[in-house]
Amino acid sequence: MIEQSKERFRGRDFITLQDFTQQEIEEMAAAAIGLKGQLAGGIPHPILQGRTLGLIFTKSSTRTRVSFEVGIYQLGGYGLFLSDRDIQIGRGEVVQDTARVLSRMVDGIMIRTSSHQDVLDLAHHSTIPVINGLTDYLHPTQVLADLMTIREHKGSWRGLKLAYIGDGNNVAHSLLNGATKMGMHITIASPDGYKPAPEIVAQAQANAAASGGSAVIVTEPAEAVAGADIVYTDVWASMGQETEAVKRQKVFAGYQVNAALMGRAHPNALVMHCLPAHRGEEITEDVIEGPQSVVFDQAENRLHAHKAIMALLIH
């Protein structure tokens, strides 16, 4: 599957799901599922033997770091962890210089940072694939794993309703991109002042017009969750927003995913959370640990989705 698709993906950046067609996202998810099956079956897949991936982190990470480091190792390559305390980009070196130097030494770059513009600049000046491991604006690698998880549990994407409850943040933005590309119906429930960016909503609605899906932004969680096949949430205060935590707890107090809210969703609805979770805030203990939760399948699938991205993009 990967060898058949590689020519279409080789050398491309993975900055946003908006850059990929429905067919290409299907192929990436299928590649991830295939690699997961090979790993479970003990089948080696050194697709990137001898390749190297630079891993730039200016934000802390559990799932992104572990999945990319373990993933490149399982693919036969080597991951080089580069924090902003270890490299010159943290001491004032401009992004374009870092991009040019790394392009001559490694085969791909994954970056997790605050500024989305830094990722765009890095990609512009690099001659190797750049993977967006998270910015304050988008989190596309997470959502590819989410789409993979939905495919595994529901069999398809088209026509499913996904309700996202909470802050219209980077995850919400990438869910809007990815879900509408795949013909899903996505409803975001966020309080006023915390809704997704208008340009992302416009992109999603254009995607939906082409795919047969829909993108709706509302204020009331109960409205969003009605009849939903997937109920998704995230922390109320993301990294970098710690000073707003107390304020956000008040603003989002009615946006908790709990048993009462889940009662409005489809009886077989999946519960998803990108983690880390603040149990008792955006989601209750009984829901995240309940039979509808696929949160830890979703977390595991970060490994397989990220392996698919690397295997397809890196030369």
Side-chain angles (χ1 to χ4, degrees):
M1 175 70 188
I2 288 175
E3 286 307 313
Q4 295 170 353
S5 301
K6 203 165 175 63
E7 283 305 315
R8 183 159 44 255
F9 290 94
R10 182 179 286 127
R12 292 172 65 179
D13 298 317
F14 189 90
I15 307 298
T16 171
L17 289 169
Q18 197 63 24
D19 290 339
F20 297 91
T21 66
Q22 182 182 91
Q23 180 183 346
E24 287 170 340
I25 295 171
E26 287 179 357
E27 288 184 51
M28 285 187 280
I33 291 169
L35 287 168
K36 183 177 183 177
Q38 289 182 2
L39 184 65
I43 302 170
H45 38 267
I47 298 165
L48 297 180
Q49 185 75 44
R51 303 293 190 269
T52 53
L53 180 74
L55 298 157
I56 299 175
F57 284 86
T58 71
K59 281 194 166 191
S60 60
S61 169
T62 300
R63 282 148 293 277
T64 301
R65 179 175 178 181
V66 173
S67 59
F68 273 105
E69 285 200 29
V70 172
I72 189 71
Y73 171 78
Q74 291 179 355
L75 291 169
Y78 178 76
L80 182 64
F81 176 76
L82 304 166
S83 80
D84 59 346
R85 295 180 298 278
D86 301 323
I87 61 175
Q88 297 301 324
I89 200 170
R91 298 186 180 91
E93 182 172 60
V94 293
V95 171
Q96 55 262 42
D97 290 356
T98 298
R100 290 168 179 148
V101 170
L102 290 180
S103 291
R104 297 179 181 219
M105 295 184 180
V106 299
D107 300 293
I109 301 168
M110 191 290 306
I111 180 168
R112 178 183 174 95
T113 191
S114 297
S115 169
H116 192 70
Q117 189 60 49
D118 281 354
V119 177
L120 296 176
D121 291 344
L122 188 71
H124 179 73
H125 293 284
S126 294
T127 57
I128 55 176
V130 170
I131 300 167
N132 175 8
L134 172 143
T135 67
D136 289 349
Y137 190 58
L138 294 173
H139 199 356
T141 57
Q142 172 68 56
V143 172
L144 181 62
D146 297 340
L147 291 171
M148 174 190 175
T149 307
I150 293 166
R151 180 68 168 267
E152 286 181 322
H153 286 271
K154 294 292 188 182
S156 65
W157 299 291
R158 186 174 298 278
L160 294 178
K161 179 181 178 181
L162 186 152
Y164 174 93
I165 311 300
D167 188 22
N169 60 12
N170 50 3
V171 173
H173 287 169
S174 286
L175 282 169
L176 280 162
N177 289 150
T180 55
K181 283 274 184 176
M182 308 318 292
M184 295 177 67
H185 302 286
I186 179 168
T187 302
I188 306 278
S190 303
D192 291 335
Y194 298 88
K195 288 181 165 54
E199 69 275 11
I200 294 286
V201 177
Q203 286 177 352
Q205 290 173 340
N207 293 344
S211 70
S214 63
V216 178
I217 312 300
V218 300
T219 304
E220 294 299 324
E223 179 183 354
V225 168
D229 300 288
I230 302 107
V231 178
Y232 197 122
T233 191
D234 192 6
V235 293
W236 294 337
S238 299
M239 279 183 291
Q241 298 172 337
E242 288 81 6
T243 58
E244 301 177 33
V246 173
K247 175 186 175 183
R248 283 172 173 261
Q249 284 175 2
K250 295 177 182 176
V251 172
F252 287 94
Y255 289 77
Q256 184 183 75
V257 174
N258 51 37
L261 190 66
M262 288 303 301
R264 295 177 176 272
H266 190 281
N268 295 322
L270 304 178
V271 172
M272 301 184 78
H273 191 307
C274 56
L275 298 180
H278 293 170
R279 298 176 184 222
E281 291 186 11
E282 75 277 0
I283 192 166
T284 56
E285 181 84 10
D286 59 316
V287 170
I288 198 170
E289 294 290 352
Q292 292 170 270
S293 174
V294 295
V295 169
F296 295 100
D297 291 348
Q298 181 186 358
E300 177 197 340
N301 282 342
R302 294 286 296 280
L303 170 65
H304 312 300
H306 296 175
K307 285 170 68 176
I309 294 167
M310 291 186 286
L312 288 167
L313 269 56
I314 295 174
H315 293 236

mmCIF file of all heavy atoms in Angstrom, residues 181-214:
data_model
loop_
_atom_site.group_PDB
_atom_site.id
_atom_site.type_symbol
_atom_site.label_atom_id
_atom_site.label_comp_id
_atom_site.label_asym_id
_atom_site.label_seq_id
_atom_site.Cartn_x
_atom_site.Cartn_y
_atom_site.Cartn_z
ATOM 1 N N LYS A 181 -13.460 16.971 5.045
ATOM 2 C CA LYS A 181 -12.837 16.354 3.862
ATOM 3 C C LYS A 181 -13.406 14.955 3.615
ATOM 4 O O LYS A 181 -13.535 14.516 2.478
ATOM 5 C CB LYS A 181 -11.323 16.245 4.071
ATOM 6 C CG LYS A 181 -10.562 17.541 3.888
ATOM 7 C CD LYS A 181 -10.190 17.794 2.444
ATOM 8 C CE LYS A 181 -9.345 19.037 2.292
ATOM 9 N NZ LYS A 181 -8.905 19.254 0.907
ATOM 10 N N MET A 182 -13.766 14.266 4.725
ATOM 11 C CA MET A 182 -14.175 12.872 4.626
ATOM 12 C C MET A 182 -15.694 12.685 4.597
ATOM 13 O O MET A 182 -16.190 11.571 4.757
ATOM 14 C CB MET A 182 -13.578 12.076 5.791
ATOM 15 C CG MET A 182 -12.079 12.249 5.959
ATOM 16 S SD MET A 182 -11.137 12.240 4.410
ATOM 17 C CE MET A 182 -11.353 10.557 3.903
ATOM 18 N N GLY A 183 -16.444 13.770 4.426
ATOM 19 C CA GLY A 183 -17.892 13.651 4.310
ATOM 20 C C GLY A 183 -18.619 13.477 5.621
ATOM 21 O O GLY A 183 -19.761 12.997 5.660
ATOM 22 N N MET A 184 -17.991 13.889 6.714
ATOM 23 C CA MET A 184 -18.633 13.806 8.023
ATOM 24 C C MET A 184 -19.403 15.095 8.317
ATOM 25 O O MET A 184 -19.177 16.135 7.698
ATOM 26 C CB MET A 184 -17.581 13.562 9.112
ATOM 27 C CG MET A 184 -16.864 12.229 8.999
ATOM 28 S SD MET A 184 -15.558 12.012 10.242
ATOM 29 C CE MET A 184 -16.536 11.928 11.743
ATOM 30 N N HIS A 185 -20.288 14.999 9.283
ATOM 31 C CA HIS A 185 -21.021 16.159 9.785
ATOM 32 C C HIS A 185 -20.397 16.534 11.131
ATOM 33 O O HIS A 185 -20.448 15.744 12.072
ATOM 34 C CB HIS A 185 -22.500 15.840 9.955
ATOM 35 C CG HIS A 185 -23.154 15.373 8.693
ATOM 36 N ND1 HIS A 185 -23.451 16.228 7.656
ATOM 37 C CD2 HIS A 185 -23.530 14.125 8.291
ATOM 38 C CE1 HIS A 185 -24.002 15.544 6.666
ATOM 39 N NE2 HIS A 185 -24.054 14.256 7.016
ATOM 40 N N ILE A 186 -19.814 17.711 11.224
ATOM 41 C CA ILE A 186 -19.162 18.115 12.459
ATOM 42 C C ILE A 186 -19.850 19.351 13.021
ATOM 43 O O ILE A 186 -20.128 20.307 12.300
ATOM 44 C CB ILE A 186 -17.646 18.363 12.248
ATOM 45 C CG1 ILE A 186 -16.991 18.813 13.570
ATOM 46 C CG2 ILE A 186 -17.370 19.353 11.126
ATOM 47 C CD1 ILE A 186 -15.464 18.812 13.531
ATOM 48 N N THR A 187 -20.142 19.278 14.308
ATOM 49 C CA THR A 187 -20.715 20.412 15.026
ATOM 50 C C THR A 187 -19.796 20.759 16.189
ATOM 51 O O THR A 187 -19.438 19.895 16.983
ATOM 52 C CB THR A 187 -22.120 20.088 15.563
ATOM 53 O OG1 THR A 187 -22.968 19.721 14.473
ATOM 54 C CG2 THR A 187 -22.717 21.307 16.253
ATOM 55 N N ILE A 188 -19.401 22.015 16.253
ATOM 56 C CA ILE A 188 -18.535 22.508 17.319
ATOM 57 C C ILE A 188 -19.380 23.340 18.277
ATOM 58 O O ILE A 188 -20.071 24.271 17.846
ATOM 59 C CB ILE A 188 -17.409 23.394 16.762
ATOM 60 C CG1 ILE A 188 -16.621 22.668 15.666
ATOM 61 C CG2 ILE A 188 -16.516 23.908 17.888
ATOM 62 C CD1 ILE A 188 -15.574 21.729 16.117
ATOM 63 N N ALA A 189 -19.328 23.016 19.555
ATOM 64 C CA ALA A 189 -20.007 23.817 20.572
ATOM 65 C C ALA A 189 -18.962 24.517 21.422
ATOM 66 O O ALA A 189 -18.214 23.866 22.161
ATOM 67 C CB ALA A 189 -20.902 22.953 21.447
ATOM 68 N N SER A 190 -18.902 25.827 21.296
ATOM 69 C CA SER A 190 -17.947 26.639 22.049
ATOM 70 C C SER A 190 -18.644 27.895 22.551
ATOM 71 O O SER A 190 -19.547 28.416 21.880
ATOM 72 C CB SER A 190 -16.767 27.062 21.165
ATOM 73 O OG SER A 190 -16.097 25.962 20.604
ATOM 74 N N PRO A 191 -18.203 28.412 23.696
ATOM 75 C CA PRO A 191 -18.787 29.676 24.168
ATOM 76 C C PRO A 191 -18.348 30.842 23.282
ATOM 77 O O PRO A 191 -17.332 30.767 22.588
ATOM 78 C CB PRO A 191 -18.231 29.815 25.590
ATOM 79 C CG PRO A 191 -17.028 28.948 25.633
ATOM 80 C CD PRO A 191 -17.216 27.858 24.642
ATOM 81 N N ASP A 192 -19.107 31.912 23.318
ATOM 82 C CA ASP A 192 -18.746 33.108 22.571
ATOM 83 C C ASP A 192 -17.367 33.586 23.007
ATOM 84 O O ASP A 192 -17.032 33.592 24.196
ATOM 85 C CB ASP A 192 -19.777 34.216 22.809
ATOM 86 C CG ASP A 192 -21.126 33.897 22.176
ATOM 87 O OD1 ASP A 192 -21.148 33.122 21.201
ATOM 88 O OD2 ASP A 192 -22.146 34.419 22.663
ATOM 89 N N GLY A 193 -16.569 33.974 22.031
ATOM 90 C CA GLY A 193 -15.206 34.399 22.309
ATOM 91 C C GLY A 193 -14.190 33.279 22.222
ATOM 92 O O GLY A 193 -12.981 33.534 22.248
ATOM 93 N N TYR A 194 -14.666 32.034 22.100
ATOM 94 C CA TYR A 194 -13.771 30.880 22.049
ATOM 95 C C TYR A 194 -14.105 29.956 20.872
ATOM 96 O O TYR A 194 -13.722 28.799 20.869
ATOM 97 C CB TYR A 194 -13.849 30.098 23.369
ATOM 98 C CG TYR A 194 -13.394 30.916 24.562
ATOM 99 C CD1 TYR A 194 -14.296 31.713 25.264
ATOM 100 C CD2 TYR A 194 -12.065 30.907 24.976
ATOM 101 C CE1 TYR A 194 -13.893 32.479 26.352
ATOM 102 C CE2 TYR A 194 -11.654 31.669 26.062
ATOM 103 C CZ TYR A 194 -12.569 32.454 26.735
ATOM 104 O OH TYR A 194 -12.147 33.210 27.803
ATOM 105 N N LYS A 195 -14.821 30.487 19.910
ATOM 106 C CA LYS A 195 -15.219 29.687 18.757
ATOM 107 C C LYS A 195 -14.058 29.552 17.758
ATOM 108 O O LYS A 195 -13.102 30.332 17.806
ATOM 109 C CB LYS A 195 -16.456 30.311 18.096
ATOM 110 C CG LYS A 195 -17.721 30.129 18.925
ATOM 111 C CD LYS A 195 -18.934 30.742 18.246
ATOM 112 C CE LYS A 195 -20.232 30.256 18.878
ATOM 113 N NZ LYS A 195 -20.317 30.458 20.319
ATOM 114 N N PRO A 196 -14.115 28.578 16.872
ATOM 115 C CA PRO A 196 -13.036 28.403 15.885
ATOM 116 C C PRO A 196 -12.866 29.632 14.998
ATOM 117 O O PRO A 196 -13.801 30.429 14.821
ATOM 118 C CB PRO A 196 -13.500 27.191 15.067
ATOM 119 C CG PRO A 196 -14.491 26.495 15.931
ATOM 120 C CD PRO A 196 -15.159 27.553 16.746
ATOM 121 N N ALA A 197 -11.684 29.758 14.411
ATOM 122 C CA ALA A 197 -11.370 30.886 13.542
ATOM 123 C C ALA A 197 -12.294 30.886 12.321
ATOM 124 O O ALA A 197 -12.518 29.827 11.711
ATOM 125 C CB ALA A 197 -9.917 30.813 13.092
ATOM 126 N N PRO A 198 -12.812 32.046 11.938
ATOM 127 C CA PRO A 198 -13.760 32.114 10.809
ATOM 128 C C PRO A 198 -13.206 31.540 9.515
ATOM 129 O O PRO A 198 -13.949 30.897 8.758
ATOM 130 C CB PRO A 198 -14.033 33.619 10.678
ATOM 131 C CG PRO A 198 -13.735 34.189 12.018
ATOM 132 C CD PRO A 198 -12.630 33.359 12.588
ATOM 133 N N GLU A 199 -11.913 31.725 9.240
ATOM 134 C CA GLU A 199 -11.357 31.213 7.980
ATOM 135 C C GLU A 199 -11.312 29.689 7.961
ATOM 136 O O GLU A 199 -11.482 29.059 6.910
ATOM 137 C CB GLU A 199 -9.970 31.803 7.705
ATOM 138 C CG GLU A 199 -8.849 31.341 8.624
ATOM 139 C CD GLU A 199 -8.731 32.119 9.927
ATOM 140 O OE1 GLU A 199 -9.657 32.905 10.251
ATOM 141 O OE2 GLU A 199 -7.705 31.940 10.617
ATOM 142 N N ILE A 200 -11.126 29.072 9.133
ATOM 143 C CA ILE A 200 -11.151 27.610 9.217
ATOM 144 C C ILE A 200 -12.571 27.104 9.000
ATOM 145 O O ILE A 200 -12.801 26.107 8.293
ATOM 146 C CB ILE A 200 -10.615 27.129 10.579
ATOM 147 C CG1 ILE A 200 -9.133 27.466 10.729
ATOM 148 C CG2 ILE A 200 -10.866 25.639 10.760
ATOM 149 C CD1 ILE A 200 -8.193 26.611 9.918
ATOM 150 N N VAL A 201 -13.533 27.770 9.591
ATOM 151 C CA VAL A 201 -14.939 27.396 9.398
ATOM 152 C C VAL A 201 -15.321 27.519 7.925
ATOM 153 O O VAL A 201 -15.991 26.632 7.372
ATOM 154 C CB VAL A 201 -15.861 28.267 10.275
ATOM 155 C CG1 VAL A 201 -17.327 27.924 10.017
ATOM 156 C CG2 VAL A 201 -15.527 28.065 11.757
ATOM 157 N N ALA A 202 -14.869 28.574 7.268
ATOM 158 C CA ALA A 202 -15.163 28.756 5.842
ATOM 159 C C ALA A 202 -14.544 27.634 5.011
ATOM 160 O O ALA A 202 -15.184 27.102 4.089
ATOM 161 C CB ALA A 202 -14.654 30.118 5.370
ATOM 162 N N GLN A 203 -13.307 27.248 5.330
ATOM 163 C CA GLN A 203 -12.672 26.118 4.635
ATOM 164 C C GLN A 203 -13.490 24.845 4.819
ATOM 165 O O GLN A 203 -13.725 24.091 3.863
ATOM 166 C CB GLN A 203 -11.260 25.873 5.192
ATOM 167 C CG GLN A 203 -10.211 26.867 4.786
ATOM 168 C CD GLN A 203 -8.871 26.568 5.454
ATOM 169 O OE1 GLN A 203 -8.759 25.697 6.335
ATOM 170 N NE2 GLN A 203 -7.843 27.296 5.051
ATOM 171 N N ALA A 204 -13.898 24.596 6.058
ATOM 172 C CA ALA A 204 -14.651 23.384 6.373
ATOM 173 C C ALA A 204 -15.981 23.352 5.637
ATOM 174 O O ALA A 204 -16.400 22.302 5.132
ATOM 175 C CB ALA A 204 -14.874 23.284 7.879
ATOM 176 N N GLN A 205 -16.646 24.471 5.568
ATOM 177 C CA GLN A 205 -17.937 24.512 4.876
ATOM 178 C C GLN A 205 -17.764 24.304 3.382
ATOM 179 O O GLN A 205 -18.602 23.663 2.736
ATOM 180 C CB GLN A 205 -18.655 25.812 5.210
ATOM 181 C CG GLN A 205 -19.137 25.834 6.662
ATOM 182 C CD GLN A 205 -19.711 27.150 7.118
ATOM 183 O OE1 GLN A 205 -19.449 28.190 6.512
ATOM 184 N NE2 GLN A 205 -20.479 27.132 8.208
ATOM 185 N N ALA A 206 -16.658 24.801 2.821
ATOM 186 C CA ALA A 206 -16.364 24.529 1.404
ATOM 187 C C ALA A 206 -16.056 23.049 1.192
ATOM 188 O O ALA A 206 -16.517 22.444 0.211
ATOM 189 C CB ALA A 206 -15.198 25.400 0.941
ATOM 190 N N ASN A 207 -15.283 22.463 2.110
ATOM 191 C CA ASN A 207 -15.020 21.022 2.030
ATOM 192 C C ASN A 207 -16.319 20.236 2.072
ATOM 193 O O ASN A 207 -16.523 19.280 1.300
ATOM 194 C CB ASN A 207 -14.161 20.564 3.219
ATOM 195 C CG ASN A 207 -12.759 21.103 3.218
ATOM 196 O OD1 ASN A 207 -12.266 21.603 2.210
ATOM 197 N ND2 ASN A 207 -12.093 21.024 4.366
ATOM 198 N N ALA A 208 -17.195 20.615 3.000
ATOM 199 C CA ALA A 208 -18.456 19.897 3.197
ATOM 200 C C ALA A 208 -19.346 19.976 1.974
ATOM 201 O O ALA A 208 -20.025 18.993 1.627
ATOM 202 C CB ALA A 208 -19.175 20.457 4.421
ATOM 203 N N ALA A 209 -19.331 21.113 1.304
ATOM 204 C CA ALA A 209 -20.135 21.254 0.090
ATOM 205 C C ALA A 209 -19.686 20.277 -0.985
ATOM 206 O O ALA A 209 -20.505 19.781 -1.776
ATOM 207 C CB ALA A 209 -20.044 22.690 -0.418
ATOM 208 N N ALA A 210 -18.386 19.967 -0.990
ATOM 209 C CA ALA A 210 -17.852 19.032 -1.983
ATOM 210 C C ALA A 210 -18.001 17.577 -1.563
ATOM 211 O O ALA A 210 -18.153 16.686 -2.411
ATOM 212 C CB ALA A 210 -16.374 19.345 -2.236
ATOM 213 N N SER A 211 -17.983 17.317 -0.253
ATOM 214 C CA SER A 211 -17.953 15.929 0.230
ATOM 215 C C SER A 211 -19.312 15.395 0.670
ATOM 216 O O SER A 211 -19.452 14.195 0.908
ATOM 217 C CB SER A 211 -16.982 15.817 1.415
ATOM 218 O OG SER A 211 -17.509 16.485 2.559
ATOM 219 N N GLY A 212 -20.289 16.282 0.837
ATOM 220 C CA GLY A 212 -21.585 15.849 1.339
ATOM 221 C C GLY A 212 -21.700 15.897 2.843
ATOM 222 O O GLY A 212 -22.685 15.418 3.412
ATOM 223 N N GLY A 213 -20.715 16.493 3.502
ATOM 224 C CA GLY A 213 -20.760 16.636 4.950
ATOM 225 C C GLY A 213 -21.349 17.975 5.346
ATOM 226 O O GLY A 213 -22.037 18.638 4.561
ATOM 227 N N SER A 214 -21.042 18.406 6.567
ATOM 228 C CA SER A 214 -21.492 19.720 7.030
ATOM 229 C C SER A 214 -20.602 20.174 8.166
ATOM 230 O O SER A 214 -19.947 19.358 8.830
ATOM 231 C CB SER A 214 -22.953 19.690 7.485
ATOM 232 O OG SER A 214 -23.121 18.818 8.596
#
